[in-house]
Every structure is written in C-alpha cells, then in structure tokens.
Amino acid sequence: MSRTRAAGQVLSNAALQKANQQEDIYQYRNTVPTAMREAEDALAAYGAEQTRHGSIAEAFKQDKEALRVAAGQYKHGLVNYLEVLDAQRSLFSAQNELAESGQAAAVDVVSLYNALGGSWNK
C-alpha cells in the first residue's frame, strides 16, 4: 500500500469516526428529552391513578356501609329485598373498579420503571 493511499485511508477513517461521533451526539441529545418526557408521563399517570384509586376506595367504603344499612333495614322490614340487591350491585361494581385501578397502578409503575431505564433482562 502506498503512503498516499494509506494517508487517504487514515483521513477517511478519521472522517468516518468524526461522523459517527456526531451521530452519537445527535442521538444522545434526542434521547435524553424523550426519556425525560416518558418518565414524566409515567409518573403523572401513576399519580393520577393513585388519586383515582383513593376515590374508588372511598366509594367502596361507602357502598359497604350502604349495604350494611340496607340489610339492617330489610331485616326489620323497612325496605324490600331489591334495596339490598341494589346495594350489593353497587358494592360489587366498586370492588371491580378497585381491582382494575390496582392493576392500572401496577402497569403505571412498570412503565415508570422502564422509563427510568429499568429492564426485565438480567
């Protein structure tokens, strides 16, 4: 290989490395804001779900009390059994929503973990 050709190859390799380095810098500058946005979004979703979960838990508690009252009233002949069934339906609905909210919160935690750079690989 001639010296001129070798020098040209060295310059070509240096230019290629510089281009690769600039591409890496460009990707890094685009990756960081995207990662921050994903982490912020995941954290906001988790916070919103926690708030929703608290509201549903309160509704569940109220529905449980309503069922207790309806059952007591039925026992004393103050209401018909339809009131008890309606209170049960409300309680079961709230219980279902509570379970769904718990699942959604778990999914949000996983999303946050992934956004912060976690992975399932060991």
Side-chain angles (χ1 to χ4, degrees):
M1 184 181 291
S2 72
R3 286 183 174 201
T4 307
R5 186 170 179 184
Q9 192 172 22
V10 168
L11 289 175
S12 176
N13 285 342
L16 179 62
Q17 287 179 351
K18 183 171 181 153
N20 286 339
Q21 182 182 28
Q22 287 176 343
E23 182 180 348
D24 290 344
I25 291 170
Y26 175 78
Q27 287 178 349
Y28 175 79
R29 287 184 178 160
N30 287 330
T31 299
V32 171
T34 299
M36 290 294 294
R37 186 175 54 253
E38 288 174 358
E40 289 171 354
D41 291 349
L43 189 57
Y46 178 70
E49 193 58 47
Q50 287 296 97
T51 300
R52 179 176 173 261
H53 189 80
S55 297
I56 295 169
E58 183 59 34
F60 175 78
K61 187 174 157 184
Q62 291 173 359
D63 288 341
K64 193 173 183 179
E65 177 63 16
L67 177 58
R68 187 190 68 74
V69 169
Q73 288 176 337
Y74 174 73
K75 183 178 179 181
H76 291 94
L78 300 174
V79 296
N80 62 28
Y81 197 67
L82 189 57
E83 297 295 324
V84 175
L85 292 175
D86 189 45
Q88 284 179 338
R89 181 198 50 79
S90 293
L91 180 63
F92 294 151
S93 177
Q95 188 176 25
N96 188 43
E97 284 185 58
L98 200 57
E100 288 173 355
S101 177
Q103 179 186 8
V107 169
D108 290 340
V109 167
V110 170
S111 295
L112 178 59
Y113 180 76
N114 283 332
L116 292 174
S119 80
W120 297 113
N121 299 332
K122 288 188 178 186

